[in-house]
Amino acid sequence: MPTKTRRAGRKNAFSGVRVNARLGEMERAGIGHLRKGNLQEAEALFRRILAAAPNDPHGLYLLGMVHFERREHERALELIRKSIERKPGDAIYHFHLGSLHEAMGQKEAAAQAYAKAISLQPGYFPPYVNLGILLFNGDFCREAEVLLRKAVEL
């Protein structure tokens, strides 16, 4: 009777499900560390995710957020841009790109990223707030008022 050979590391048809579940667990743990400010632990987990799935847009985004928290803006910018290249329709990625540009003093780029986030997900209120404050600080009070009222409605 012929024997079937399996690929190394492949146990059965459901092994991919187990791998994805483990990656999900690592992601949740990494996000917890990120929120608590445990950046080294978060980075280690996000790097493990990217080792398993190098082009994962959310893994790239999360690692970018670690660098953002460290004020390593250029590296954060590179990673968040890569996440947007792989998943351009994600409003959260664009919102944080705007926050990053704003932290870097790039107000026009920040405004564009916030506007893109709003266009992608009109019910997501954070970009309305950030863009409204950005406009208010730039003496565009009427435009800011419209955006901030919209944020309150949401």
Side-chain angles (χ1 to χ4, degrees):
M1 172 178 218
T3 59
K4 292 183 181 179
T5 59
R6 293 185 178 163
R7 291 184 187 177
R10 181 102 188 187
K11 301 206 187 279
N12 60 42
F14 297 104
S15 65
V17 173
R18 282 196 299 265
V19 169
N20 286 337
R22 278 186 296 228
L23 292 178
E25 290 169 15
M26 281 192 287
E27 181 180 302
R28 283 187 292 282
I31 291 170
H33 285 298
L34 182 60
R35 287 183 177 151
K36 292 176 187 172
N38 303 329
L39 301 180
Q40 189 171 357
E41 293 87 349
E43 179 180 7
L45 289 166
F46 299 148
R47 287 195 181 282
R48 285 179 60 197
I49 291 168
L50 290 170
N55 292 314
D56 179 60
H58 205 60
L60 291 164
Y61 158 76
L62 290 169
L63 185 57
M65 293 306 295
V66 169
H67 288 282
F68 187 8
E69 289 297 316
R70 288 184 178 148
R71 293 180 171 76
E72 298 168 350
H73 294 147
E74 291 300 326
R75 181 67 177 135
L77 189 62
E78 176 186 336
L79 290 162
I80 292 173
R81 281 184 174 156
K82 282 183 181 180
S83 69
I84 290 171
E85 287 172 12
R86 286 158 179 78
K87 193 175 176 188
D90 194 304
I92 293 172
Y93 299 170
H94 288 277
F95 168 72
H96 284 104
L97 177 64
S99 297
L100 179 57
H101 280 302
E102 194 168 355
M104 297 172 75
Q106 301 168 350
K107 294 179 183 188
E108 276 193 41
Q112 290 172 0
Y114 293 143
K116 181 68 174 179
I118 290 167
S119 74
L120 290 170
Q121 192 175 340
Y124 179 52
F125 79 91
Y128 289 95
V129 173
N130 284 28
L131 182 55
I133 292 169
L134 186 67
L135 291 172
F136 181 81
N137 290 335
D139 292 329
F140 294 97
C141 295
R142 289 182 190 209
E143 295 88 344
E145 181 183 3
V146 169
L147 288 165
L148 293 171
R149 285 186 188 277
K150 180 67 176 176
V152 170
E153 289 174 14
L154 296 173

